[in-house]
CSV table of all heavy atoms in Angstrom, one decimal:
chain,number,residue,atom,x,y,z
A,11,SER,N,-52.8,6.5,102.7
A,11,SER,CA,-53.1,5.3,103.6
A,11,SER,C,-52.4,4.1,103.0
A,11,SER,O,-52.3,4.0,101.8
A,11,SER,CB,-54.7,5.1,103.5
A,11,SER,OG,-55.0,3.9,104.2
A,12,PRO,N,-52.0,3.2,103.9
A,12,PRO,CA,-51.4,1.9,103.4
A,12,PRO,C,-52.4,1.1,102.7
A,12,PRO,O,-53.6,1.2,102.9
A,12,PRO,CB,-50.9,1.2,104.7
A,12,PRO,CG,-51.7,1.8,105.8
A,12,PRO,CD,-52.0,3.2,105.4
A,13,VAL,N,-52.0,0.3,101.7
A,13,VAL,CA,-52.9,-0.6,101.0
A,13,VAL,C,-52.6,-2.0,101.5
A,13,VAL,O,-51.5,-2.5,101.4
A,13,VAL,CB,-52.6,-0.5,99.5
A,13,VAL,CG1,-53.5,-1.5,98.7
A,13,VAL,CG2,-52.9,0.9,99.0
A,14,THR,N,-53.7,-2.7,101.9
A,14,THR,CA,-53.5,-4.1,102.4
A,14,THR,C,-53.9,-5.0,101.2
A,14,THR,O,-55.0,-5.0,100.7
A,14,THR,CB,-54.5,-4.4,103.5
A,14,THR,OG1,-54.2,-3.5,104.6
A,14,THR,CG2,-54.3,-5.8,104.0
A,15,GLU,N,-52.9,-5.7,100.7
A,15,GLU,CA,-53.1,-6.6,99.6
A,15,GLU,C,-52.6,-8.0,100.0
A,15,GLU,O,-51.4,-8.2,100.3
A,15,GLU,CB,-52.3,-6.1,98.3
A,15,GLU,CG,-52.8,-4.8,97.8
A,15,GLU,CD,-51.9,-4.3,96.6
A,15,GLU,OE1,-50.7,-4.4,96.7
A,15,GLU,OE2,-52.5,-3.8,95.6
A,16,TRP,N,-53.5,-8.9,99.9
A,16,TRP,CA,-53.1,-10.3,100.2
A,16,TRP,C,-52.4,-11.0,99.0
A,16,TRP,O,-51.7,-12.0,99.2
A,16,TRP,CB,-54.3,-11.1,100.7
A,16,TRP,CG,-54.9,-10.5,101.9
A,16,TRP,CD1,-56.1,-9.9,102.0
A,16,TRP,CD2,-54.3,-10.4,103.2
A,16,TRP,NE1,-56.3,-9.4,103.3
A,16,TRP,CE2,-55.3,-9.7,104.0
A,16,TRP,CE3,-53.1,-10.8,103.8
A,16,TRP,CZ2,-55.0,-9.4,105.4
A,16,TRP,CZ3,-52.9,-10.5,105.1
A,16,TRP,CH2,-53.8,-9.9,105.9
A,17,ALA,N,-52.6,-10.4,97.8
A,17,ALA,CA,-51.9,-10.9,96.7
A,17,ALA,C,-50.5,-10.3,96.6
A,17,ALA,O,-50.3,-9.1,97.0
A,17,ALA,CB,-52.6,-10.5,95.4
A,18,SER,N,-49.5,-11.0,96.2
A,18,SER,CA,-48.1,-10.6,96.3
A,18,SER,C,-47.8,-9.5,95.3
A,18,SER,O,-48.4,-9.4,94.2
A,18,SER,CB,-47.2,-11.8,95.9
A,18,SER,OG,-47.4,-12.3,94.6
A,19,ARG,N,-47.0,-8.6,95.7
A,19,ARG,CA,-46.5,-7.5,94.9
A,19,ARG,C,-45.0,-7.6,94.8
A,19,ARG,O,-44.3,-7.6,95.9
A,19,ARG,CB,-46.9,-6.1,95.4
A,19,ARG,CG,-46.5,-4.9,94.6
A,19,ARG,CD,-47.2,-3.6,95.1
A,19,ARG,NE,-48.6,-3.6,94.8
A,19,ARG,CZ,-49.1,-3.2,93.6
A,19,ARG,NH1,-48.3,-2.7,92.7
A,19,ARG,NH2,-50.4,-3.1,93.4
A,20,GLY,N,-44.4,-7.6,93.6
A,20,GLY,CA,-43.0,-8.0,93.5
A,20,GLY,C,-42.0,-6.9,93.1
A,20,GLY,O,-40.8,-7.1,93.2
A,21,THR,N,-42.5,-5.8,92.6
A,21,THR,CA,-41.6,-4.8,92.0
A,21,THR,C,-41.8,-3.4,92.5
A,21,THR,O,-41.0,-2.5,92.3
A,21,THR,CB,-41.7,-4.8,90.5
A,21,THR,OG1,-42.9,-4.3,90.0
A,21,THR,CG2,-41.5,-6.2,89.9
A,22,ASP,N,-43.0,-3.0,93.0
A,22,ASP,CA,-43.2,-1.7,93.5
A,22,ASP,C,-44.0,-1.7,94.8
A,22,ASP,O,-44.5,-2.8,95.2
A,22,ASP,CB,-43.9,-0.8,92.5
A,22,ASP,CG,-45.3,-1.3,92.1
A,22,ASP,OD1,-45.8,-2.3,92.7
A,22,ASP,OD2,-45.9,-0.6,91.2
A,23,VAL,N,-44.2,-0.5,95.4
A,23,VAL,CA,-45.0,-0.4,96.6
A,23,VAL,C,-46.1,0.7,96.4
A,23,VAL,O,-45.8,1.7,95.7
A,23,VAL,CB,-44.1,0.0,97.8
A,23,VAL,CG1,-44.9,0.2,99.1
A,23,VAL,CG2,-43.0,-1.1,98.1
A,24,VAL,N,-47.3,0.5,96.9
A,24,VAL,CA,-48.3,1.4,96.6
A,24,VAL,C,-48.9,2.0,97.9
A,24,VAL,O,-48.9,1.3,99.0
A,24,VAL,CB,-49.5,0.8,95.8
A,24,VAL,CG1,-49.0,0.4,94.4
A,24,VAL,CG2,-50.1,-0.4,96.5
A,25,VAL,N,-49.4,3.2,97.8
A,25,VAL,CA,-50.2,3.8,98.9
A,25,VAL,C,-51.5,4.2,98.3
A,25,VAL,O,-51.6,4.5,97.1
A,25,VAL,CB,-49.5,5.0,99.6
A,25,VAL,CG1,-48.2,4.5,100.3
A,25,VAL,CG2,-49.1,6.1,98.6
A,26,ASP,N,-52.5,4.3,99.1
A,26,ASP,CA,-53.9,4.5,98.7
A,26,ASP,C,-54.1,6.0,98.6
A,26,ASP,O,-53.9,6.8,99.5
A,26,ASP,CB,-54.9,4.0,99.7
A,26,ASP,CG,-56.3,4.0,99.2
A,26,ASP,OD1,-56.6,4.6,98.1
A,26,ASP,OD2,-57.2,3.4,99.9
A,27,ILE,N,-54.5,6.5,97.4
A,27,ILE,CA,-54.9,7.9,97.2
A,27,ILE,C,-56.3,8.1,96.7
A,27,ILE,O,-56.8,9.2,96.7
A,27,ILE,CB,-54.0,8.6,96.2
A,27,ILE,CG1,-54.1,7.9,94.8
A,27,ILE,CG2,-52.5,8.6,96.6
A,27,ILE,CD1,-53.4,8.6,93.7
A,28,GLY,N,-57.0,7.0,96.4
A,28,GLY,CA,-58.4,7.1,95.8
A,28,GLY,C,-59.3,5.9,95.9
A,28,GLY,O,-60.4,6.0,95.4
A,29,GLU,N,-58.8,4.9,96.6
A,29,GLU,CA,-59.6,3.7,96.6
A,29,GLU,C,-60.5,3.7,97.9
A,29,GLU,O,-61.7,3.5,97.8
A,29,GLU,CB,-58.7,2.4,96.6
A,29,GLU,CG,-59.5,1.1,96.4
A,29,GLU,CD,-58.6,0.0,95.9
A,29,GLU,OE1,-57.4,-0.1,96.5
A,29,GLU,OE2,-59.0,-0.8,95.1
A,30,ARG,N,-59.8,3.9,99.0
A,30,ARG,CA,-60.6,4.0,100.3
A,30,ARG,C,-60.5,5.4,100.9
A,30,ARG,O,-61.1,5.7,101.9
A,30,ARG,CB,-60.1,2.9,101.3
A,30,ARG,CG,-60.5,1.5,100.9
A,30,ARG,CD,-60.0,0.5,101.9
A,30,ARG,NE,-60.5,-0.8,101.6
A,30,ARG,CZ,-59.9,-1.7,100.7
A,30,ARG,NH1,-58.8,-1.3,100.1
A,30,ARG,NH2,-60.4,-2.9,100.4
A,31,VAL,N,-59.5,6.2,100.4
A,31,VAL,CA,-59.4,7.6,100.9
A,31,VAL,C,-59.5,8.5,99.6
A,31,VAL,O,-59.5,8.0,98.5
A,31,VAL,CB,-58.0,7.8,101.5
A,31,VAL,CG1,-57.8,6.8,102.7
A,31,VAL,CG2,-56.9,7.6,100.5
A,32,ALA,N,-59.6,9.8,99.9
A,32,ALA,CA,-59.6,10.7,98.8
A,32,ALA,C,-58.6,11.8,99.0
A,32,ALA,O,-58.8,12.8,99.6
A,32,ALA,CB,-61.0,11.4,98.7
A,33,ALA,N,-57.4,11.5,98.5
A,33,ALA,CA,-56.3,12.4,98.7
A,33,ALA,C,-56.4,13.6,97.8
A,33,ALA,O,-56.6,13.4,96.6
A,33,ALA,CB,-54.9,11.7,98.5
A,34,PRO,N,-56.2,14.9,98.3
A,34,PRO,CA,-56.3,16.0,97.4
A,34,PRO,C,-55.2,15.9,96.3
A,34,PRO,O,-54.1,15.4,96.5
A,34,PRO,CB,-56.0,17.2,98.3
A,34,PRO,CG,-56.4,16.7,99.7
A,34,PRO,CD,-56.0,15.2,99.7
A,35,ALA,N,-55.5,16.5,95.1
A,35,ALA,CA,-54.6,16.5,94.0
A,35,ALA,C,-53.2,17.1,94.4
A,35,ALA,O,-52.2,16.7,94.0
A,35,ALA,CB,-55.2,17.2,92.8
A,36,ALA,N,-53.3,18.2,95.2
A,36,ALA,CA,-52.0,18.9,95.6
A,36,ALA,C,-51.2,17.9,96.5
A,36,ALA,O,-49.9,18.0,96.3
A,36,ALA,CB,-52.4,20.1,96.4
């Protein structure tokens, strides 16, 4: 899932695996 961050991110991009979703380890 995409991560909505109102604070700026300047060097990398993140996707949600465990904050609001539960992505399987595989």
Side-chain angles (χ1 to χ4, degrees):
S11 173
V13 177
T14 301
E15 292 177 319
W16 300 111
S18 61
R19 184 172 285 276
T21 67
D22 66 1
V23 178
V24 297
V25 295
D26 190 353
I27 60 171
E29 194 163 36
R30 292 182 174 83
V31 302

